[in-house]
Amino acid sequence: MKFSRALVVLLVVLVAIPSPAMAGIVGEPNLQVYAPSNKLVPGQETSLNVVLTNYGGDTEYRKFSSSESSASLSDQQRSKLEAQVRSARNVRLTLESGDAPVEVNTATLPVGDIPHATQREATFSTSVKENATPGTYEMDLVATFEYDESVRDNGDVQNEEEDTVTIPVTVVIEQAPRFEIVSVDTSAQVGGSGTTTVTMRNIGTETAFDSSVALTSQNGEITFGQATTATRYAGEWGTNETRRLEYETSVAPSAAVQQYSLSAVVNYEDDDGVAKQSKNLATGVMPLAEQSFTLDATDSTLRVGRETTVSGTITNDGPQSARDAVVVVSSKSPNTNIKESEYALGTLEAGASSEFSFSVEVTDSADAGQRQLSYTVEYRDEDGDTQQSKPLLMNAEVKPKQNLFGVETKNGSLEAGSSETITLVVTNNGDETYRNIDAKAFADSPLSLSDDTAFIQELGPGESTEIPLELSASSSASPKTYSFDIDFQYENEDGERKLSDSYPVAVDVTESTGGSGLSMPLVGGVVVIVGLGIVGFLWYRR
């Protein structure tokens, strides 16, 4: 290949001309880290804040080749170039456990650029193991970054690097109280209230002073009074000591028999008097099933105008005992009067039963038909708190009005101007046995009673007996049906003395069969007198 003379001359000239200065600054960042609050507690999740500072490494002014010549840099130019090579770009931080019994919950954190002589903060979530031994440990902060390793005098980057450094971070796992929930029990039932007992233990290495436990419900179905949080004082709480804390608990009627979430936090002071707080301790509580009762009505028949007895049996279906139980009856009917509305059942264990009875009066103005009676059981639960069951409803039949005593005549007629023994059949139409019954009759003209009282010693429900009464009808009585009244004073099964209504008794008065109206005794007397006269006259003639 042949070159032209001009080209050869040009190449010789270019080689002979010296190149411009090619020197610059060489250096690197210098990252250091520390944790301002490096104290951790066993069993707790803690935010660990680290501060990363770029102090910058040593720099030097270097020729990049033997053919380079040194340029003259001002102090300002040199400082600018040194800051450039000492700066870290795109810094990413990863915290590793090292030899510490700590788990890091945060992934790699980008913190951006860290120029020379500046710092950045980063916060990592850490969890200290439950059984961590107190002491001083080293964790590792791994920093990955980019930087300009060398920069020419004119500011052009000669070499760009990426580096990763591992920097130790000192942490201290403290001697501290630490708490665990041993058990949670409750006597609270669905739709009622009771006591929730939380048993806790200090499993830490230090005593907690002036401690208290705040228990919080995570669901509105479980409350402490009217609030979702309640606090109980625990005082000085030594290592391995157990505390039983009781919280009055209410359970909504809509709650189910299942676990409901609770959380407990212990607030305390350490031995330096510094206020501290434990981690959030999660637990659960299951309310007891709603207390229930069964009603079995053995007698629920009522009658208009009468006081009768309703009775039945209450059974405690559990799950708890019902102490000092009382059944209360009520009715919305204005014509129903309940003499005593409470009946004591005593203590009913789960599955036990007790009988009851009430006296119920239905007024005369009531109509026959169905009435609803409501029974409620009031009792004390195992904590001694007063509780009340749901209403137990029962329909009672109200029968039409009926006389308490039925009165019928066995021989219900007599002639005008005569007297007869009238036999009355008296029947007990009531629901109980009556004793010491005094019958009293009342008659108006033209009827009269020469014997108007009778006594019945005892008469059971549905039983009948006969009583005699001496009844007379005056001679002026017209042939027709008349009536007289009779009532009864009696003693019921409660020993109460009562007076019945007055009952009319019909009798028929018939026409006299004596002709002129002279009675047979009078005619007989006249015959005797006439006979004696005849006998005397004959004796005189003789």
Side-chain angles (χ1 to χ4, degrees):
M1 181 180 294
K2 294 182 179 179
F3 294 96
S4 66
R5 184 187 180 100
L7 179 58
V8 171
V9 172
L10 177 59
L11 290 172
V12 171
V13 172
L14 288 174
V15 171
I17 298 174
S19 61
M22 295 295 290
I25 299 296
V26 177
E28 64 181 355
N30 179 20
L31 302 179
Q32 300 295 324
V33 67
Y34 76 100
S37 300
N38 65 342
K39 294 182 178 181
L40 306 177
V41 177
Q44 288 195 10
E45 182 176 327
T46 306
S47 294
L48 181 63
N49 187 48
V50 297
V51 178
L52 186 65
T53 303
N54 183 5
Y55 291 101
D58 294 333
T59 63
E60 65 174 309
Y61 189 74
R62 178 187 302 174
K63 292 181 180 180
F64 299 137
S65 68
S66 59
S67 63
E68 292 173 349
S69 62
S70 299
S72 177
L73 294 177
S74 67
D75 292 341
Q76 183 178 4
Q77 290 175 317
R78 185 181 178 92
S79 296
K80 181 178 180 182
L81 295 177
E82 288 178 342
Q84 184 174 345
V85 297
R86 288 174 169 174
S87 296
R89 300 191 307 274
N90 190 23
V91 181
R92 288 92 69 197
L93 302 178
T94 303
L95 185 64
E96 297 179 349
S97 299
D99 67 349
V102 178
E103 292 183 2
V104 180
N105 306 318
T106 306
T108 300
L109 293 176
V111 295
D113 299 340
I114 307 180
H116 171 246
T118 61
Q119 63 184 24
R120 294 287 184 271
E121 293 187 10
T123 301
F124 294 88
S125 173
T126 62
S127 297
V128 185
K129 294 182 179 180
E130 291 281 349
N131 58 351
T133 302
T136 301
Y137 297 89
E138 295 291 338
M139 300 184 71
D140 295 326
L141 183 69
V142 180
T144 301
F145 57 92
E146 300 156 8
Y147 69 100
D148 297 333
E149 181 190 30
S150 57
V151 181
R152 294 188 180 96
D153 291 344
N154 62 1
D156 292 339
V157 176
Q158 173 70 17
N159 189 23
E160 185 178 6
E161 295 286 343
E162 182 179 73
D163 197 5
T164 298
V165 295
T166 300
I167 312 167
V169 180
T170 301
V171 294
V172 177
I173 297 180
E174 292 186 301
Q175 302 268 358
R178 191 159 54 91
F179 305 93
E180 70 173 3
I181 296 176
V182 178
S183 64
V184 178
D185 300 296
T186 188
S187 62
Q189 296 176 274
V190 173
S193 60
T195 301
T196 296
T197 302
V198 180
T199 303
M200 299 181 66
R201 180 182 293 114
N202 178 3
I203 59 174
T205 56
E206 292 290 330
T207 298
F209 298 92
D210 199 25
S211 63
S212 60
V213 180
L215 189 65
T216 300
S217 170
Q218 310 299 322
N219 191 294
E221 304 285 354
I222 306 293
T223 56
F224 308 109
Q226 302 297 321
T228 56
T229 299
T231 301
R232 295 293 180 267
Y233 185 72
E236 183 177 325
W237 197 339
T239 301
N240 292 324
E241 285 188 353
T242 299
R243 293 285 186 273
R244 284 169 50 89
L245 306 155
E246 295 184 346
Y247 301 82
E248 290 301 315
T249 306
S250 299
V251 184
S254 57
V257 181
Q258 64 182 21
Q259 288 283 351
Y260 287 90
S261 296
L262 301 177
S263 62
V265 173
V266 183
N267 296 285
Y268 64 95
E269 292 182 358
D270 61 18
D271 53 6
D272 294 326
V274 178
K276 297 290 183 69
Q277 187 177 78
S278 75
K279 72 173 184 178
N280 196 17
L281 303 172
T283 187
V285 64
M286 179 184 291
L288 300 178
E290 185 173 12
Q291 191 79 11
S292 63
F293 298 87
T294 300
L295 169 67
D296 182 18
T298 56
D299 190 357
S300 58
T301 302
L302 305 176
R303 189 175 291 277
V304 174
R306 187 180 300 175
E307 181 180 305
T308 54
T309 299
V310 294
S311 59
T313 302
I314 294 289
T315 301
N316 178 11
D317 296 328
Q320 293 186 321
S321 298
R323 300 176 182 174
D324 303 325
V326 175
V327 60
V328 181
V329 65
S330 61
S331 173
K332 294 182 180 180
S333 172
N335 296 319
T336 303
N337 299 323
I338 301 173
K339 185 177 179 182
E340 294 286 344
S341 61
E342 294 185 359
Y343 191 95
L345 303 174
T347 295
L348 293 178
E349 302 294 339
S353 301
S354 181
E355 296 179 348
F356 68 88
S357 63
F358 293 98
S359 294
V360 181
E361 180 186 20
V362 180
T363 63
D364 290 332
S365 58
D367 295 326
Q370 295 290 322
R371 298 290 187 277
Q372 189 176 77
L373 298 178
S374 175
Y375 296 86
T376 303
V377 181
E378 296 179 354
Y379 61 97
R380 294 186 183 277
D381 60 21
E382 294 185 352
D383 294 330
D385 298 327
T386 300
Q387 305 289 353
Q388 182 174 289
S389 73
K390 289 182 177 180
L392 306 172
L393 303 179
M394 180 192 72
N395 287 333
E397 181 185 3
V398 178
K399 292 185 175 181
K401 185 172 182 179
Q402 181 188 42
N403 292 335
L404 184 62
F405 292 96
V407 180
E408 295 180 354
T409 57
K410 193 171 183 180
N411 53 331
S413 65
L414 74 163
E415 293 182 4
S418 69
S419 296
E420 293 286 349
T421 299
I422 302 296
T423 301
L424 301 182
V425 179
V426 180
T427 302
N428 178 2
N429 292 328
D431 302 316
E432 58 182 303
T433 298
Y434 303 124
R435 297 177 176 84
N436 301 324
I437 305 169
D438 290 318
K440 175 70 173 176
F442 305 90
D444 294 325
S445 180
L447 301 180
S448 61
L449 290 158
S450 58
D451 184 6
D452 57 2
T453 61
F455 177 76
I456 305 171
Q457 185 173 357
E458 182 176 289
L459 203 59
E463 288 185 352
S464 299
T465 190
E466 296 180 358
I467 59 173
L469 295 176
E470 290 296 328
L471 181 66
S472 300
S474 67
S475 58
S476 61
S478 301
K480 65 177 182 178
T481 300
Y482 293 88
S483 69
F484 65 92
D485 293 330
I486 188 170
D487 62 28
F488 303 90
Q489 279 193 345
Y490 61 95
E491 189 177 292
N492 63 16
E493 291 181 348
D494 295 330
E496 298 173 317
R497 194 72 180 164
K498 296 205 169 188
L499 177 64
S500 73
D501 294 335
S502 292
Y503 307 119
V505 179
V507 290
D508 294 326
V509 176
T510 60
E511 186 176 0
S512 174
T513 59
S516 62
L518 295 176
S519 65
M520 292 302 295
L522 181 59
V523 172
V526 171
V527 171
V528 171
I529 294 172
V530 171
L532 291 174
I534 294 173
V535 171
F537 174 75
L538 293 174
W539 181 81
Y540 176 76
R541 288 286 305 270
R542 183 179 179 185

